[in-house]
């Protein structure tokens, strides 16, 4: 359930862009992994996520 997009272009087997706001059926989030990673959880060179790891990282706080 949710939204996920992976670009077909890749660098060293890693997608150039991965956007993930998606959960698996067991309710675990899908990690956005790519050169540019955008999502609730992300890992990449450039990362925009609530919880993320990256060389350039922008963490957006929860709005609860």
């Amino acid at each position: 359930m949710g939204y996920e997009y992976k670009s077909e272009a890749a660098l060293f087997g890693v997608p150039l862009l991965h956007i993930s706001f998606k959960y698996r059926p067991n309710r675990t989030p899908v990690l956005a992994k790519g050169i540019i990673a955008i999502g609730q959880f992300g890992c990449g060179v450039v990362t925009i996520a609530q919880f993320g790891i990256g060389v350039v990282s922008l963490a957006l706080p929860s709005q609860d």
Side-chain angles (χ1 to χ4, degrees), residues 34-35 42-48 52-58:
I35 304 300
C43 179
V45 176
V46 177
T47 305
I48 300 173
I53 297 173
V55 175
V56 177
S57 184
L58 176 63

Side-chain angles (χ1 to χ4, degrees), residues 2-58:
Y3 176 78
E4 181 176 25
Y5 170 78
K6 279 187 187 180
S7 66
E8 291 186 21
L11 186 62
F12 303 112
V14 179
L16 186 61
L17 174 66
H18 188 189
I19 302 171
S20 180
F21 293 96
K22 184 177 178 180
Y23 287 90
R24 292 184 179 94
N26 63 358
R27 303 286 300 152
T28 58
V30 176
L31 177 69
K33 295 183 286 187
I35 304 300
I36 301 170
I38 302 171
Q40 186 174 3
F41 297 89
C43 179
V45 176
V46 177
T47 305
I48 300 173
Q50 185 176 359
F51 301 100
I53 297 173
V55 175
V56 177
S57 184
L58 176 63

